[in-house]
Amino acid sequence: AVDGAPSGIYLHGRSRTLCTDPHWVGRADCQHCAVRAMMPFAPLHAADLEQILHPIHEYEIPAGTPICTAGDQAHSIVTIRRGFIKLQHATSGGSQRIVRLLRAGDVVGIEALQEKRYRHTAATLGDARVCRIPVVVVHQMGALRPELHASMTVRWNASLEQADTVILRLLSGEASARVARLLCFLVDFAGSSLPPRLTRQDTAAIL
């Protein structure tokens, strides 16, 4: 057994031992991943994946579970295989604002590739399945395949565009209009999946 949960991952607010962690699915099989085309490692070949020395772990995470906390040491990124995750930011008054929503194929904690600490607190909206990838693995593969950096840049830009969308479409006008635009945004955001189910508190934290 490996003592303690992987760095950057928090389950029910405390560390767990990997071999007894009920949320741990196991070592991720990137080569045979059913949604690999959506994931950051899509540009890598089978031979590249065989050179990964550090483990990539897969988790089944229940609704409302923290993934990482703002200000914590950022040792890994988390890719979403299934489900939705919210990124939250604490205001000066102590309340939480949802600054971004993430879906399958998106990356939680992408700032860890350049910064030492997480910017936002992330938590699941409904059940989710994720993979934890140590930052050292991303840098290792980036040196091997420069196109991986381009893939990460595209994802980072997509996150910034969504933040702009929230500001421009959802934070102006009457409350009823903002709620309506939020519902339309969620349908578009979910694509072919069912939209994330937001609580009243989540809706208020976005709007």
Side-chain angles (χ1 to χ4, degrees), residues 129-141:
R129 180 173 285 229
V130 304
C131 290
R132 170 196 168 268
I133 306 174
V135 170
V136 64
V137 169
V138 183
H139 290 318
Q140 175 189 352
M141 292 297 98

Side-chain angles (χ1 to χ4, degrees), residues 184-199:
C184 292
F185 167 77
L186 292 176
V187 171
D188 293 339
F189 176 72
S192 59
S193 303
L194 289 175
R197 299 185 63 179
L198 302 182
T199 65

Side-chain angles (χ1 to χ4, degrees), residues 91 96-100 162-183 185 202-207:
T91 67
Q96 293 285 337
R97 294 293 304 272
I98 295 177
V99 297
R100 208 168 304 148
Q162 187 196 126
D164 290 343
T165 296
V166 170
I167 292 173
L168 295 174
R169 292 175 54 186
L170 304 181
L171 300 185
S172 62
E174 296 183 356
S176 57
R178 284 185 282 140
V179 171
R181 287 197 293 267
L182 173 60
L183 295 177
F185 167 77
D202 286 335
T203 301
I206 293 176
L207 298 178

Side-chain angles (χ1 to χ4, degrees), residues 11-89:
L11 305 174
H12 298 307
R14 62 190 182 90
S15 299
R16 300 225 179 179
T17 303
L18 283 177
C19 60
T20 61
D21 187 346
H23 309 298
W24 183 51
V25 176
R27 175 74 183 266
D29 185 1
C30 301
Q31 186 171 342
H32 300 98
C33 176
V35 292
R36 180 179 161 191
M38 301 168 56
M39 308 302 272
F41 281 2
L44 301 182
H45 302 155
D48 301 329
L49 296 171
E50 292 176 357
Q51 298 185 47
I52 296 177
L53 302 179
H54 296 266
I56 298 175
H57 291 287
E58 186 177 346
Y59 293 88
E60 189 78 31
I61 309 294
T65 302
I67 300 295
C68 62
T69 303
D72 283 347
Q73 289 284 339
H75 298 300
S76 64
I77 63 173
V78 175
T79 59
I80 307 171
R81 290 175 54 96
R82 175 174 52 79
F84 301 96
I85 289 175
K86 58 184 176 182
L87 297 185
Q88 303 175 99
H89 178 75

